[in-house]
Amino acid sequence: MTKPIRPTLMIEAELADATTAAHETESLSRADPLVAMMLDANDRDIAQLRAELAEARSSDLEVSIEGSPVTDHRISVPYLNRVTGSLQSAYRSIAKSLDTDGKMKSGEGTLTLASTSAGSFKMMFRTAEEPMNLLERPLSERTLGELFGLLEASRSTDVGEIAREWASRSPEASVRAMIRLAAALASSHGTTQLRWTSLDGVDRVAAVEFEHARRLASVLAGNTGREIIEIRGHLTMAQDDPPKIKIATDVDEHLAAVRDEELLYVVKDLLFSDVIAEIAIDMSTSPSTGAPTTRSELLDLRPDDG
């Protein structure tokens, strides 16, 4: 189990207690094995807490992923690309929606990867530098506030109401970007932990389990003319280039495009077996003919264990 991401203030408090204990016991002799063991343990705690605090202060946004794409603190490149790409897309689109005066420069909507570490796979991001404004909070602060508000709401029983209220006042590009991010987090089949440290030093920590991320994606999809359905059936390929799958149930067949490379690997592993698939269906009307069209995209795939 991955060690939880903790608020910086909690780490600072534990470090202060351990450091105080070290000062108060520095005169004790380590000749006694029991005393030596206790003092050594406190020394190790101090070293670990200092390292944890330094890491927490090294970034504006920290993301830790566990689940099927992560093995021994290593992550598959296709999933890494998917989750970082969807995170960047959501961050930029929300920033644009909040930039009402149109003063955002091109680089201000970009996250940069500062470092990585084990945990199970942990990434530290920095936001772009921004000019100071005494009248309002920086755009990056407001953007991450919106993002964390939605991710935290995914665990709430009021997620439907909160997500629909946000979607009603947000442009469609932001809503679709958040759907992609939530779907990417859900496909890990694990828990994603995030910590954002604001400019005033206050932390917000969110732990998003894959079921909650899936629910958030479904609720948001209902506000865009997009429907997310779950299908149980037998998996086969329908087309190789571009790849499409077919899932046959007892009563019908469902086709869906596979646009994510990570999912394509999963498809190949589960071909000709019984599966549970989550498919996003986009419905639109031709502006010239008025004819309705639908597009289906595979969001998640897992074996059906009965």
Side-chain angles (χ1 to χ4, degrees):
M1 179 64 183
T2 301
K3 185 177 180 180
I5 289 182
R6 306 190 299 162
T8 305
L9 290 177
M10 183 183 297
I11 305 169
E12 290 175 337
E14 289 189 12
L15 178 58
D17 290 342
T19 303
T20 298
H23 289 323
E24 292 177 348
T25 57
E26 61 185 356
S27 61
L28 294 179
S29 171
R30 296 182 184 248
D32 186 322
L34 182 58
V35 172
M37 182 176 66
M38 294 174 60
L39 296 178
D40 289 345
N42 194 60
D43 290 343
R44 288 193 297 272
D45 287 343
I46 290 174
Q48 291 170 358
L49 288 166
R50 283 175 175 167
E52 185 180 359
L53 184 60
E55 185 173 83
R57 288 172 171 170
S58 69
S59 63
D60 302 313
L61 175 64
E62 186 174 322
V63 180
S64 177
I65 300 170
E66 64 175 22
S68 54
V70 179
T71 305
D72 296 330
H73 306 301
R74 296 172 295 166
I75 192 168
S76 69
V77 171
Y79 183 77
L80 177 65
N81 290 340
R82 182 183 181 191
V83 75
T84 54
S86 60
L87 175 62
Q88 171 59 61
S89 178
Y91 180 82
R92 184 187 298 277
S93 62
I94 293 174
K96 284 184 177 180
S97 72
L98 296 175
D99 179 38
T100 54
D101 55 10
K103 294 182 179 180
M104 186 179 84
K105 298 179 180 178
S106 58
E108 289 181 6
T110 302
L111 295 168
T112 55
L113 182 64
S115 60
T116 63
S117 68
S120 283
F121 187 84
K122 188 181 294 182
M123 298 171 284
M124 277 66 77
F125 296 92
R126 286 285 190 184
T127 58
E129 294 185 2
E130 301 172 62
M132 295 297 294
N133 188 330
L134 298 178
L135 300 179
E136 63 179 355
R137 295 167 60 218
L139 181 60
S140 60
E141 295 279 288
R142 290 180 282 135
T143 301
L144 288 172
E146 293 263 333
L147 189 63
F148 265 69
L150 281 170
L151 294 176
E152 290 166 345
S154 70
R155 302 177 60 91
S156 169
T157 55
D158 299 326
V159 59
E161 180 179 346
I162 295 170
R164 281 189 287 272
E165 188 279 327
W166 177 82
S168 68
R169 57 180 171 81
S170 300
E172 185 176 334
S174 298
V175 179
R176 288 184 177 274
M178 276 304 304
I179 293 171
R180 291 194 297 273
L181 175 59
L185 299 183
S187 66
S188 72
H189 299 288
T191 300
T192 302
Q193 300 179 78
L194 306 96
R195 174 173 54 206
W196 160 42
T197 305
S198 63
L199 288 177
D200 55 11
V202 177
D203 289 329
R204 285 174 70 173
V205 177
V208 184
E209 297 175 12
F210 71 95
E211 299 99 331
H212 299 142
R214 182 178 295 129
R215 183 173 58 174
L216 177 61
S218 297
V219 172
L220 290 173
N223 291 272
T224 61
R226 169 179 269 210
E227 181 183 6
I228 297 179
I229 61 174
E230 184 175 277
I231 303 296
R232 290 174 179 263
H234 191 72
L235 173 68
T236 57
M237 289 297 295
Q239 182 176 302
D240 290 328
D241 188 21
K244 286 187 177 181
I245 54 132
K246 178 171 68 176
I247 299 177
T249 69
D250 293 336
V251 294
D252 53 15
E253 294 180 343
H254 297 265
L255 296 176
V258 186
R259 297 190 174 94
D260 186 275
E261 187 179 354
E262 176 75 16
L263 279 177
L264 191 56
Y265 289 126
V266 178
V267 167
K268 292 177 180 178
D269 287 340
L270 297 178
L271 266 180
F272 310 117
S273 64
D274 293 330
V275 297
I276 301 174
E278 289 184 11
I279 298 174
I281 302 175
D282 278 306
M283 294 160 282
S284 60
T285 302
S286 170
S288 57
T289 66
T293 59
T294 61
R295 291 187 303 171
S296 298
E297 177 185 354
L298 183 67
L299 293 180
D300 191 27
L301 187 71
R302 57 193 186 276
D304 186 354
D305 298 324

